[in-house]
Coordinates of all heavy atoms in Angstrom, one line a residue:
M20 N 16.4 -14.2 55.8 CA 16.0 -12.8 55.8 C 17.3 -11.9 55.4 O 18.3 -12.1 55.9 CB 15.5 -12.4 57.2 CG 15.1 -11.0 57.3 SD 14.2 -10.7 58.9 CE 15.6 -10.8 60.0
T21 N 17.0 -11.0 54.6 CA 18.1 -10.1 54.1 C 17.8 -8.7 54.5 O 16.7 -8.2 54.2 CB 18.2 -10.2 52.6 OG1 18.5 -11.6 52.2 CG2 19.4 -9.4 52.1
E22 N 18.7 -8.0 55.1 CA 18.5 -6.6 55.5 C 19.7 -5.8 55.1 O 20.6 -5.5 55.9 CB 18.2 -6.5 57.0 CG 16.9 -7.1 57.5 CD 16.5 -6.8 58.9 OE1 17.3 -6.2 59.6 OE2 15.4 -7.2 59.3
P23 N 19.7 -5.3 53.9 CA 20.8 -4.5 53.4 C 20.9 -3.2 54.3 O 19.9 -2.6 54.5 CB 20.5 -4.2 52.0 CG 19.4 -5.1 51.6 CD 18.7 -5.5 52.9
A24 N 22.1 -2.8 54.6 CA 22.2 -1.6 55.4 C 22.4 -0.4 54.6 O 23.5 -0.1 54.0 CB 23.4 -1.8 56.4
K25 N 21.3 0.4 54.4 CA 21.5 1.6 53.6 C 20.4 2.6 54.1 O 20.4 3.0 55.2 CB 21.4 1.4 52.1 CG 22.8 0.9 51.6 CD 22.9 0.9 50.1 CE 24.2 0.3 49.7 NZ 24.2 -0.1 48.3
Q26 N 19.5 3.0 53.2 CA 18.6 4.2 53.6 C 17.4 3.8 54.3 O 17.3 4.0 55.5 CB 18.4 4.9 52.3 CG 19.6 5.6 51.8 CD 19.5 6.1 50.4 OE1 18.4 6.2 49.9 NE2 20.6 6.5 49.8
G27 N 16.3 3.4 53.6 CA 15.0 3.2 54.3 C 15.0 2.1 55.4 O 16.0 1.5 55.6
P28 N 13.9 2.0 56.0 CA 13.7 0.9 57.0 C 14.0 -0.5 56.4 O 13.7 -0.6 55.2 CB 12.3 1.0 57.5 CG 11.9 2.4 57.1 CD 12.6 2.8 55.8
P29 N 14.4 -1.4 57.1 CA 14.6 -2.8 56.6 C 13.4 -3.4 55.9 O 12.3 -3.1 56.3 CB 15.0 -3.6 57.9 CG 15.4 -2.6 58.9 CD 14.6 -1.3 58.6
I30 N 13.7 -4.2 54.9 CA 12.7 -5.0 54.3 C 12.8 -6.4 54.8 O 13.8 -7.1 54.6 CB 12.9 -5.0 52.7 CG1 13.1 -3.6 52.1 CG2 11.8 -5.8 52.0 CD1 11.9 -2.8 52.0
R31 N 11.8 -6.9 55.4 CA 11.8 -8.3 55.9 C 11.2 -9.2 54.8 O 10.2 -8.9 54.2 CB 10.9 -8.4 57.1 CG 11.6 -8.1 58.4 CD 11.1 -8.7 59.6 NE 11.8 -8.0 60.7 CZ 11.2 -7.6 61.8 NH1 9.9 -7.8 62.0 NH2 11.9 -7.0 62.8
V32 N 11.9 -10.3 54.6 CA 11.5 -11.2 53.6 C 10.9 -12.4 54.3 O 11.5 -13.0 55.2 CB 12.7 -11.7 52.8 CG1 12.3 -12.8 51.8 CG2 13.4 -10.5 52.1
H33 N 9.7 -12.8 53.8 CA 9.0 -14.0 54.3 C 8.9 -14.9 53.1 O 7.8 -14.9 52.4 CB 7.6 -13.6 54.8 CG 7.6 -12.7 56.0 ND1 7.8 -13.2 57.3 CD2 7.5 -11.4 56.1 CE1 7.8 -12.1 58.2 NE2 7.7 -11.0 57.5
A34 N 9.9 -15.6 52.8 CA 10.0 -16.3 51.6 C 8.9 -17.4 51.5 O 8.5 -17.8 50.4 CB 11.4 -17.0 51.4
E35 N 8.5 -17.9 52.6 CA 7.4 -18.9 52.6 C 6.1 -18.4 52.1 O 5.3 -19.2 51.7 CB 7.3 -19.5 54.1 CG 6.5 -18.6 55.0 CD 7.4 -17.5 55.6 OE1 8.5 -17.3 55.2 OE2 6.8 -16.7 56.4
R36 N 5.9 -17.1 52.0 CA 4.7 -16.5 51.5 C 4.8 -16.2 50.0 O 3.8 -15.9 49.3 CB 4.3 -15.2 52.2 CG 4.1 -15.4 53.7 CD 3.9 -14.0 54.3 NE 3.8 -14.0 55.7 CZ 3.8 -12.9 56.5 NH1 3.9 -11.7 56.0 NH2 3.8 -13.0 57.8
C37 N 6.0 -16.3 49.5 CA 6.3 -15.9 48.1 C 5.6 -16.8 47.1 O 5.7 -18.0 47.2 CB 7.8 -15.8 47.8 SG 8.2 -15.4 46.1
A38 N 4.9 -16.3 46.1 CA 4.3 -17.0 45.1 C 5.0 -17.0 43.8 O 4.5 -17.6 42.8 CB 2.8 -16.6 44.9
G39 N 6.1 -16.3 43.7 CA 6.9 -16.3 42.5 C 6.4 -15.4 41.4 O 6.7 -15.6 40.2
C40 N 5.5 -14.5 41.7 CA 4.9 -13.6 40.7 C 5.8 -12.7 40.0 O 5.6 -12.2 38.9 CB 3.7 -12.9 41.3 SG 4.2 -11.6 42.5
L41 N 6.9 -12.4 40.6 CA 8.0 -11.5 40.1 C 7.6 -10.0 40.0 O 8.3 -9.2 39.4 CB 8.5 -12.0 38.8 CG 9.0 -13.4 38.7 CD1 9.6 -13.8 37.4 CD2 10.1 -13.7 39.8
I42 N 6.5 -9.7 40.6 CA 6.1 -8.2 40.6 C 7.2 -7.4 41.2 O 7.5 -6.3 40.8 CB 4.7 -8.1 41.3 CG1 3.6 -8.6 40.4 CG2 4.5 -6.6 41.6 CD1 2.3 -8.7 41.0
C43 N 7.8 -7.9 42.3 CA 8.9 -7.1 43.0 C 10.0 -6.8 42.0 O 10.5 -5.7 42.0 CB 9.3 -7.9 44.2 SG 9.9 -9.6 43.9
E44 N 10.4 -7.8 41.3 CA 11.5 -7.6 40.3 C 11.1 -6.6 39.3 O 11.9 -5.7 38.9 CB 12.0 -8.9 39.6 CG 12.6 -9.9 40.6 CD 13.2 -11.1 39.8 OE1 13.1 -11.1 38.6 OE2 13.8 -11.9 40.5
L45 N 9.9 -6.7 38.8 CA 9.5 -5.8 37.7 C 9.4 -4.4 38.2 O 9.8 -3.4 37.6 CB 8.1 -6.2 37.2 CG 8.1 -7.6 36.4 CD1 6.7 -8.0 36.2 CD2 8.9 -7.4 35.1
R46 N 8.8 -4.2 39.4 CA 8.7 -2.8 40.0 C 10.0 -2.2 40.3 O 10.3 -1.0 40.1 CB 7.8 -2.8 41.2 CG 6.4 -3.2 41.0 CD 5.6 -2.4 40.0 NE 5.6 -1.0 40.3 CZ 4.7 -0.1 40.1 NH1 3.5 -0.5 39.5 NH2 4.8 1.1 40.4
C47 N 10.9 -3.0 40.8 CA 12.3 -2.5 41.2 C 13.0 -2.1 39.9 O 13.6 -1.0 39.8 CB 13.1 -3.6 41.9 SG 14.7 -3.0 42.5
S48 N 13.0 -2.9 38.9 CA 13.6 -2.6 37.6 C 13.0 -1.4 37.0 O 13.7 -0.5 36.4 CB 13.7 -3.8 36.7 OG 12.4 -4.1 36.2
L49 N 11.7 -1.2 37.1 CA 11.1 0.0 36.5 C 11.6 1.2 37.2 O 11.8 2.2 36.5 CB 9.6 -0.1 36.8 CG 8.7 1.0 36.1 CD1 8.8 1.0 34.6 CD2 7.2 0.8 36.5
R50 N 11.8 1.2 38.5 CA 12.4 2.3 39.2 C 13.8 2.7 38.7 O 14.0 3.9 38.4 CB 12.4 2.0 40.7 CG 13.1 3.2 41.4 CD 13.4 2.8 42.9 NE 14.3 3.8 43.4 CZ 15.1 3.6 44.4 NH1 15.2 2.4 45.0 NH2 15.9 4.6 44.8
F51 N 14.6 1.7 38.5 CA 16.0 2.0 38.2 C 16.2 2.1 36.6 O 17.1 2.9 36.2 CB 16.9 0.9 38.7 CG 17.1 1.0 40.2 CD1 16.4 0.2 41.0 CD2 17.9 2.0 40.8 CE1 16.6 0.2 42.4 CE2 18.1 2.1 42.1 CZ 17.4 1.2 43.0
E52 N 15.5 1.3 35.9 CA 15.8 1.3 34.4 C 14.7 1.9 33.6 O 14.8 2.0 32.4 CB 15.9 -0.2 34.0 CG 16.9 -1.0 34.8 CD 18.3 -0.5 34.7 OE1 18.6 0.0 33.6 OE2 19.1 -0.6 35.7
K53 N 13.6 2.3 34.3 CA 12.4 2.9 33.5 C 11.9 1.9 32.5 O 11.4 2.2 31.5 CB 12.8 4.2 32.8 CG 13.4 5.3 33.8 CD 12.3 5.9 34.6 CE 12.8 7.0 35.5 NZ 13.3 6.6 36.8
A54 N 12.1 0.6 32.8 CA 11.6 -0.5 32.0 C 11.5 -1.7 32.8 O 12.2 -1.9 33.8 CB 12.6 -0.7 30.8
F55 N 10.6 -2.6 32.4 CA 10.5 -3.9 33.0 C 11.7 -4.8 32.6 O 11.7 -5.3 31.5 CB 9.2 -4.6 32.7 CG 8.0 -3.9 33.3 CD1 6.9 -3.5 32.6 CD2 8.0 -3.5 34.7 CE1 5.8 -2.9 33.1 CE2 6.9 -2.9 35.3 CZ 5.8 -2.5 34.5
N56 N 12.6 -4.9 33.5 CA 13.8 -5.7 33.2 C 14.3 -6.4 34.4 O 15.2 -5.9 35.1 CB 14.9 -4.8 32.6 CG 16.1 -5.6 32.2 OD1 16.3 -6.8 32.5 ND2 17.0 -4.9 31.5
P57 N 13.7 -7.5 34.8 CA 14.0 -8.2 36.1 C 15.4 -8.5 36.3 O 15.9 -8.5 37.4 CB 13.2 -9.5 35.9 CG 12.1 -9.2 35.0 CD 12.6 -8.2 34.0
G58 N 16.2 -8.7 35.2 CA 17.6 -8.9 35.3 C 18.4 -7.7 35.9 O 19.5 -7.9 36.4
R59 N 17.8 -6.6 35.9 CA 18.4 -5.4 36.5 C 17.8 -4.9 37.8 O 18.1 -3.9 38.3 CB 18.3 -4.2 35.5 CG 18.8 -4.5 34.1 CD 20.3 -4.8 34.1 NE 21.1 -3.7 34.5 CZ 21.5 -2.7 33.7 NH1 21.3 -2.8 32.4 NH2 22.3 -1.7 34.2
A60 N 17.0 -5.8 38.4 CA 16.4 -5.5 39.7 C 17.4 -5.7 40.8 O 18.3 -6.5 40.6 CB 15.1 -6.3 39.9
R61 N 17.1 -5.0 41.9 CA 18.0 -5.2 43.1 C 17.4 -6.2 44.0 O 17.8 -6.4 45.2 CB 18.0 -3.9 43.9 CG 19.1 -2.9 43.4 CD 19.0 -2.5 41.9 NE 19.9 -1.4 41.6 CZ 20.0 -0.9 40.4 NH1 19.4 -1.5 39.4 NH2 20.8 0.1 40.2
I62 N 16.4 -7.0 43.5 CA 15.9 -8.1 44.3 C 15.8 -9.3 43.3 O 15.6 -9.1 42.1 CB 14.5 -7.7 44.8 CG1 13.9 -8.8 45.7 CG2 13.5 -7.4 43.7 CD1 12.7 -8.4 46.5
R63 N 16.0 -10.5 43.9 CA 16.1 -11.7 43.0 C 15.2 -12.8 43.6 O 15.4 -13.1 44.8 CB 17.6 -12.1 43.0 CG 17.9 -13.1 41.9 CD 17.9 -12.6 40.5 NE 19.0 -11.5 40.4 CZ 18.8 -10.4 39.8 NH1 17.6 -10.1 39.2 NH2 19.7 -9.5 39.7
V64 N 14.3 -13.3 42.8 CA 13.4 -14.4 43.2 C 13.8 -15.6 42.4 O 14.0 -15.6 41.2 CB 12.0 -14.0 43.0 CG1 11.1 -15.2 43.3 CG2 11.6 -12.8 43.7
R65 N 14.1 -16.7 43.2 CA 14.5 -17.9 42.5 C 13.6 -19.1 43.0 O 13.3 -19.2 44.2 CB 16.0 -18.3 42.8 CG 17.0 -17.3 42.2 CD 17.2 -17.7 40.8 NE 18.2 -16.8 40.2 CZ 17.8 -15.7 39.5 NH1 16.6 -15.4 39.3 NH2 18.7 -14.9 39.0
R66 N 13.2 -19.9 42.1 CA 12.5 -21.1 42.5 C 13.4 -22.1 43.1 O 14.5 -22.3 42.6 CB 11.8 -21.8 41.2 CG 11.0 -23.0 41.6 CD 10.4 -23.6 40.3 NE 9.1 -23.1 40.1 CZ 7.9 -23.4 40.7 NH1 8.0 -24.3 41.7 NH2 6.8 -23.0 40.4
L67 N 13.0 -22.7 44.2 CA 13.8 -23.7 44.9 C 13.2 -25.1 44.7 O 12.0 -25.2 44.5 CB 13.9 -23.4 46.4 CG 14.5 -22.0 46.8 CD1 14.3 -21.8 48.3 CD2 16.0 -22.0 46.4
V68 N 14.0 -26.1 44.8 CA 13.5 -27.4 44.6 C 13.8 -28.2 45.9 O 15.0 -28.2 46.4 CB 14.2 -28.2 43.4 CG1 13.7 -29.6 43.3 CG2 13.9 -27.4 42.2
G69 N 12.8 -28.7 46.5 CA 13.0 -29.6 47.7 C 13.4 -28.8 49.0 O 14.0 -29.3 49.9
A70 N 13.0 -27.5 49.0 CA 13.4 -26.7 50.2 C 12.1 -26.4 51.0 O 11.0 -26.7 50.5 CB 14.0 -25.4 49.7
E71 N 12.3 -25.8 52.1 CA 11.1 -25.5 53.0 C 10.2 -24.4 52.3 O 9.0 -24.5 52.3 CB 11.7 -24.9 54.3 CG 10.6 -24.9 55.4 CD 11.3 -24.5 56.8 OE1 12.2 -25.2 57.2 OE2 10.8 -23.6 57.3
S72 N 10.8 -23.4 51.7 CA 10.1 -22.4 50.9 C 10.2 -22.8 49.5 O 11.2 -23.4 49.0 CB 10.7 -21.0 51.2 OG 10.6 -20.7 52.5
E73 N 9.2 -22.4 48.7 CA 9.3 -22.7 47.3 C 10.2 -21.8 46.5 O 10.7 -22.1 45.4 CB 7.9 -22.7 46.7 CG 7.7 -23.7 45.6 CD 6.2 -23.9 45.2 OE1 5.3 -23.8 46.2 OE2 5.9 -24.1 44.1
Y74 N 10.4 -20.6 47.1 CA 11.2 -19.6 46.4 C 12.2 -19.0 47.4 O 11.9 -18.9 48.6 CB 10.3 -18.5 45.9 CG 9.4 -18.9 44.8 CD1 8.1 -19.4 45.1 CD2 9.8 -19.0 43.5 CE1 7.2 -19.8 44.2 CE2 8.9 -19.4 42.5 CZ 7.6 -19.8 42.8 OH 6.8 -20.3 41.9
S75 N 13.3 -18.6 46.9 CA 14.2 -17.7 47.7 C 14.1 -16.3 47.2 O 13.8 -16.1 46.0 CB 15.7 -18.2 47.5 OG 16.2 -17.9 46.2
V76 N 14.1 -15.4 48.1 CA 14.0 -13.9 47.8 C 15.2 -13.2 48.4 O 15.3 -13.2 49.6 CB 12.7 -13.4 48.3 CG1 12.5 -11.9 47.9 CG2 11.5 -14.2 47.8
E77 N 16.0 -12.6 47.6 CA 17.1 -11.9 48.2 C 17.3 -10.5 47.6 O 17.1 -10.3 46.4 CB 18.4 -12.7 47.8 CG 18.4 -14.0 48.6 CD 19.7 -14.8 48.3 OE1 20.6 -14.3 47.5 OE2 19.9 -15.8 48.8
L78 N 17.5 -9.5 48.5 CA 17.8 -8.1 48.1 C 19.3 -8.0 48.0 O 20.0 -8.5 48.9 CB 17.2 -7.1 49.1 CG 15.7 -7.0 49.1 CD1 15.0 -8.2 49.5 CD2 15.3 -5.8 49.9
D79 N 19.8 -7.3 46.9 CA 21.3 -7.3 46.8 C 21.8 -5.9 47.4 O 21.1 -5.1 47.9 CB 21.7 -7.6 45.4 CG 21.4 -6.4 44.4 OD1 21.2 -5.3 44.8 OD2 21.3 -6.7 43.2
E80 N 23.1 -5.8 47.2 CA 23.8 -4.6 47.8 C 23.4 -3.3 47.2 O 23.6 -2.2 47.7 CB 25.3 -4.8 47.8 CG 25.9 -4.8 46.4 CD 25.8 -6.2 45.7 OE1 25.3 -7.1 46.4 OE2 26.2 -6.3 44.6
G81 N 22.7 -3.3 46.0 CA 22.3 -2.1 45.3 C 21.0 -1.6 45.9 O 20.5 -0.5 45.5
C82 N 20.3 -2.4 46.7 CA 19.0 -2.0 47.3 C 19.2 -0.9 48.3 O 20.0 -1.0 49.2 CB 18.4 -3.2 47.9 SG 16.9 -2.8 48.9
D83 N 18.4 0.2 48.2 CA 18.4 1.3 49.2 C 17.2 1.3 50.1 O 16.9 2.3 50.7 CB 18.7 2.6 48.5 CG 17.5 2.9 47.5 OD1 16.5 2.2 47.5 OD2 17.6 4.0 46.9
R84 N 16.5 0.2 50.0 CA 15.3 0.0 50.9 C 14.2 1.1 50.6 O 13.6 1.6 51.5 CB 15.7 0.1 52.4 CG 16.7 -0.9 52.8 CD 17.1 -0.5 54.2 NE 17.8 -1.6 54.9 CZ 18.3 -1.5 56.1 NH1 18.1 -0.4 56.8 NH2 18.9 -2.6 56.7
C85 N 14.0 1.3 49.3 CA 13.0 2.3 49.0 C 11.6 1.8 49.3 O 10.7 2.6 49.5 CB 13.1 2.6 47.5 SG 12.5 1.3 46.4
G86 N 11.4 0.5 49.4 CA 10.1 0.0 49.8 C 9.1 -0.3 48.7 O 8.0 -0.8 48.9
I87 N 9.5 0.0 47.5 CA 8.5 -0.2 46.3 C 8.1 -1.6 46.2 O 6.9 -2.0 46.1 CB 9.2 0.4 45.0 CG1 9.2 1.9 45.0 CG2 8.4 -0.2 43.8 CD1 9.9 2.5 43.9
C88 N 9.1 -2.5 46.3 CA 8.8 -3.9 46.1 C 7.8 -4.4 47.2 O 6.9 -5.2 47.0 CB 10.1 -4.8 46.1 SG 11.1 -4.5 47.6
A89 N 8.1 -3.9 48.5 CA 7.2 -4.3 49.6 C 5.8 -3.8 49.4 O 4.8 -4.5 49.7 CB 7.8 -3.9 50.9
R90 N 5.7 -2.6 48.9 CA 4.3 -2.0 48.7 C 3.5 -2.7 47.6 O 2.3 -2.7 47.6 CB 4.5 -0.5 48.4 CG 4.8 0.3 49.5 CD 4.5 1.8 49.3 NE 5.2 2.4 48.2 CZ 6.5 2.9 48.4 NH1 7.1 2.8 49.5 NH2 7.1 3.4 47.3
H91 N 4.3 -3.4 46.7 CA 3.6 -4.0 45.6 C 3.5 -5.5 45.7 O 2.9 -6.2 44.8 CB 4.2 -3.6 44.3 CG 3.9 -2.2 43.9 ND1 4.7 -1.1 44.3 CD2 2.9 -1.6 43.2 CE1 4.2 0.0 43.9 NE2 3.1 -0.2 43.2
C92 N 4.1 -6.1 46.7 CA 4.0 -7.6 46.8 C 2.6 -7.9 47.2 O 2.2 -7.6 48.3 CB 5.0 -8.1 47.8 SG 4.9 -9.9 48.1
P93 N 1.9 -8.7 46.4 CA 0.5 -9.0 46.7 C 0.4 -10.1 47.8 O -0.8 -10.4 48.2 CB -0.1 -9.5 45.4 CG 1.0 -9.6 44.4 CD 2.3 -9.2 45.1
Y94 N 1.4 -10.8 48.2 CA 1.3 -11.9 49.1 C 1.9 -11.7 50.4 O 2.0 -12.6 51.2 CB 2.0 -13.1 48.4 CG 1.3 -13.5 47.2 CD1 1.7 -13.1 45.9 CD2 0.1 -14.3 47.2 CE1 1.0 -13.4 44.7 CE2 -0.6 -14.7 46.0 CZ -0.1 -14.2 44.8 OH -0.8 -14.5 43.7
G95 N 2.4 -10.4 50.7 CA 2.9 -10.2 52.0 C 4.3 -10.8 52.3 O 4.7 -11.0 53.4
A96 N 5.0 -11.2 51.2 CA 6.3 -11.8 51.3 C 7.4 -10.8 51.6 O 8.5 -11.2 52.1 CB 6.6 -12.6 50.1
L97 N 7.1 -9.5 51.3 CA 8.1 -8.4 51.6 C 7.4 -7.4 52.5 O 6.3 -6.9 52.1 CB 8.5 -7.8 50.3 CG 9.1 -8.7 49.3 CD1 9.3 -8.0 47.9 CD2 10.5 -9.2 49.7
V98 N 8.0 -7.1 53.6 CA 7.3 -6.2 54.6 C 8.4 -5.2 55.0 O 9.5 -5.6 55.5 CB 6.8 -7.0 55.8 CG1 6.2 -6.0 56.8 CG2 5.7 -8.0 55.4
Q99 N 8.1 -3.9 54.8 CA 9.1 -2.9 55.2 C 8.8 -2.6 56.7 O 7.6 -2.3 57.0 CB 9.0 -1.7 54.4 CG 10.1 -0.7 54.7 CD 10.4 0.3 53.6 OE1 9.4 0.7 52.9 NE2 11.6 0.7 53.4
V100 N 9.7 -2.8 57.5 CA 9.6 -2.6 59.0 C 9.5 -1.1 59.3 O 10.5 -0.4 59.0 CB 10.7 -3.3 59.7 CG1 10.5 -3.1 61.2 CG2 10.8 -4.7 59.3
K101 N 8.4 -0.7 59.8 CA 8.2 0.7 60.2 C 8.9 1.0 61.5 O 9.1 0.1 62.3 CB 6.7 1.1 60.3 CG 6.0 0.8 59.0 CD 6.5 1.7 57.8 CE 5.8 1.4 56.5 NZ 6.5 1.9 55.3
E102 N 9.2 2.2 61.7 CA 9.9 2.6 63.0 C 9.1 2.1 64.2 O 7.9 2.4 64.4 CB 9.9 4.1 63.1 CG 11.3 4.6 63.6 CD 11.4 6.1 63.5 OE1 11.2 6.6 62.4 OE2 11.6 6.7 64.5
G103 N 9.8 1.4 65.0 CA 9.2 0.9 66.3 C 8.2 -0.3 66.1 O 7.6 -0.7 67.0
G104 N 8.1 -0.7 64.9 CA 7.1 -1.8 64.6 C 7.8 -3.1 64.1 O 9.0 -3.1 63.8
G105 N 7.0 -4.1 64.1 CA 7.5 -5.4 63.6 C 6.7 -5.8 62.4 O 5.9 -5.1 61.9
A106 N 7.0 -7.1 61.9 CA 6.3 -7.6 60.8 C 6.4 -9.1 60.8 O 7.3 -9.6 61.1 CB 6.8 -7.0 59.5
Ligands
SF4_201 S1 13.5 -1.9 48.4 FE1 13.6 -0.7 46.5 S2 15.7 -0.9 45.7 FE2 15.3 -2.5 47.2 S3 14.7 -4.3 46.1 FE3 12.8 -3.3 46.8 S4 12.3 -1.9 45.0 FE4 14.4 -2.5 44.8
SF4_202 S1 6.2 -9.7 44.6 FE1 6.1 -10.9 46.5 S2 5.1 -12.9 46.0 FE2 5.7 -11.8 44.1 S3 7.8 -12.7 43.6 FE3 8.1 -10.8 44.8 S4 8.3 -11.5 46.9 FE4 7.3 -13.2 45.8

C-alpha cells in the first residue's frame, strides 16, 4: 500500500483486485499532460510474475491524491479514503 503525503485523502491500493487495464495511468496522464501518455502518469502498474498479486500498483511522489485514478478504476483496486472512513 502506498500513501503519498500531500493534498487529498490517501489512496488505498488493493493490488490483488487490479486487472491491469491501465485506465488509472491513462486518466492520470490526461490530467497532467492533456494526453494519454501512461509514461507520464503519477501511478505505475506493473505485471508481476509468481507473486501473490498479479500486478503491482504504485503512486509516486508526484501524486497529489486528486483521486481521479480511484474514481475511474473499474475493479476497486484504488480507493480514496474518505474522512473518518475506511476502505
Ligand atoms: S491520485 Fe491523481 S495524481 Fe495521484 S496517481 Fe491518481 S490520478 Fe494521478
Ligand atoms: S484502473 Fe484499477 S484495475 Fe485498472 S490498472 Fe489501474 S489499478 Fe489496476
Side-chain angles (χ1 to χ4, degrees):
M20 182 170 70
T21 304
E22 291 191 356
K25 280 189 186 167
Q26 293 168 10
I30 308 285
R31 274 204 192 136
V32 176
H33 299 274
E35 74 282 0
R36 300 177 186 168
C37 177
C40 68
L41 304 185
I42 288 173
C43 53
E44 290 189 358
L45 292 170
R46 296 301 306 213
C47 183
S48 67
L49 184 63
R50 175 191 168 206
F51 287 103
E52 308 298 328
K53 304 284 184 271
F55 291 130
N56 184 350
R59 305 297 296 273
R61 273 59 166 175
I62 184 168
R63 194 74 60 225
V64 178
R65 291 279 178 268
R66 179 181 270 284
L67 300 172
V68 179
E71 198 172 302
S72 300
E73 214 170 324
Y74 297 91
S75 70
V76 182
E77 293 181 359
L78 286 67
D79 72 23
E80 65 280 355
C82 169
D83 62 3
R84 300 171 167 181
C85 71
I87 288 174
C88 56
R90 286 199 296 279
H91 289 89
C92 174
Y94 296 94
L97 301 169
V98 178
Q99 189 157 35
V100 182
K101 302 299 178 195
E102 222 173 303

